[in-house]
Amino acid sequence: MKHHAFIYLFILLVGIFTLVVVYVLGIMSGFQLSEKEYISSTLPTLSVLGTWVGAFATCSAVLLSLWLAFQQISKDKVVLKCLVNNVLSSPDMETKYISVNIVSTGNKPANIRSIGWFGKDAKTAIWVKDFHYTSSHLPTVLNFGEELVVMHTPELYFHLNNYVEEHLGGDYGKLICLVHTTTESIEVAPNQEVIDSVKDANKLS
C-alpha cells in the first residue's frame, strides 16, 4: 500500500471533522434557543462532536504510525540504480567495452553476486565468468552511495551477437542485462549504443 493513501485518508478525515464543526456552529449561531432546548439539542450534539474529535485523533495517530512504518520499510531495502553502456578505457582508447555501473541508493546493503545476460522469451541465459582486468571484483557488498563498475571483455559483443541470433530470433531489442543479488535479479536494459555494437559485432570481425 502506497503512503499516498494515508495522506488522502487523512484529508478526508479533516474534511469530515470540519463539516461537523460547521454544523454545530450553525446550530449555536443560527437559532435562538431556550435553556431547555439548548440542553435537549445542543449538548447532545456537542457530545457527539467530542466523540468525533476523539475518533479523529485516534485515527490520525494510527495513520501516522502506519505511514512512518511504511516509510521506514521503503527505505530499509536494497535499491540499486543500474546503467549499461559502452565505455573506453586507457591506455587503449579505441576498443569499446560494455560497462555495468551499479549504485546503491537504499539503506540496506546490497550484495552483488554476479552479472548475466538474458533475453525476453528465451529459455537460456549467459552467465559471465571473466571480466576485464580493470573491472571491480564480484561478489561485492555495496552500502548506501557506493558504486560498482563491472567491465566486460570485448569478446562479449560477439557472444551476445551469437546469443541473440540463436536464441532471440535476431531481435536485439529483447536483450537484457541481469544484476544478481542475494535476494533478487534486477533486469537492466542496455542503451541503444550497446545494442548497436552487439548487432554489428560480427560485421566488424
Side-chain angles (χ1 to χ4, degrees):
M1 182 177 183
K2 296 183 178 179
H3 65 270
H4 296 87
F6 296 117
I7 298 177
Y8 298 146
L9 187 55
F10 180 79
I11 294 175
L12 177 62
L13 291 176
V14 171
I16 295 174
F17 175 74
T18 303
L19 290 175
V20 172
V21 172
V22 171
Y23 171 73
V24 172
L25 292 178
I27 291 178
M28 297 180 65
S29 62
F31 301 95
Q32 297 294 329
L33 300 176
S34 65
E35 182 178 354
K36 184 177 180 180
E37 291 173 333
Y38 177 79
I39 294 175
S40 64
S41 62
T42 304
L43 287 184
T45 302
L46 292 176
S47 177
V48 172
L49 176 60
T51 303
W52 274 95
V53 171
F56 174 76
T58 302
C59 291
S60 298
V62 172
L63 290 175
L64 180 60
S65 299
L66 290 174
W67 182 77
L68 291 175
F70 276 98
Q71 283 288 91
Q72 190 63 35
I73 291 174
S74 65
K75 292 180 180 179
D76 293 340
K77 65 180 182 179
V78 174
V79 181
L80 298 176
K81 182 179 180 181
C82 306
L83 178 65
V84 179
N85 54 12
N86 285 337
V87 297
L88 299 175
S89 179
S90 61
D92 179 11
M93 297 301 292
E94 295 183 358
T95 303
K96 292 182 179 180
Y97 306 88
I98 296 179
S99 171
V100 182
N101 294 64
I102 307 170
V103 179
S104 176
T105 58
N107 290 342
K108 187 176 181 180
N111 192 342
I112 314 299
R113 303 298 299 174
S114 62
I115 301 293
W117 290 82
F118 187 66
K120 297 178 181 178
D121 303 325
K123 297 181 179 180
T124 58
I126 296 178
W127 176 65
V128 182
K129 178 182 178 181
D130 299 318
F131 298 95
H132 194 263
Y133 70 92
T134 61
S135 174
S136 301
H137 297 289
L138 293 175
T140 297
V141 176
L142 295 181
N143 294 310
F144 175 80
E146 293 182 338
E147 181 181 18
L148 176 71
V149 180
V150 180
M151 296 275 290
H152 291 82
T153 61
E155 290 76 20
L156 183 66
Y157 289 110
F158 303 101
H159 298 319
L160 292 178
N161 182 285
N162 293 331
Y163 175 78
V164 173
E165 294 297 331
E166 294 179 7
H167 299 279
L168 302 181
D171 189 349
Y172 290 84
K174 293 183 177 180
L175 192 61
I176 296 174
C177 178
L178 296 175
V179 177
H180 300 288
T181 71
T182 52
T183 57
E184 62 180 330
S185 295
I186 301 173
E187 297 184 358
V188 186
N191 63 22
Q192 188 59 45
E193 184 181 356
V194 172
I195 293 176
D196 292 339
S197 297
V198 171
K199 186 184 302 184
D200 298 334
N202 286 333
K203 296 179 182 178
L204 301 176
S205 60

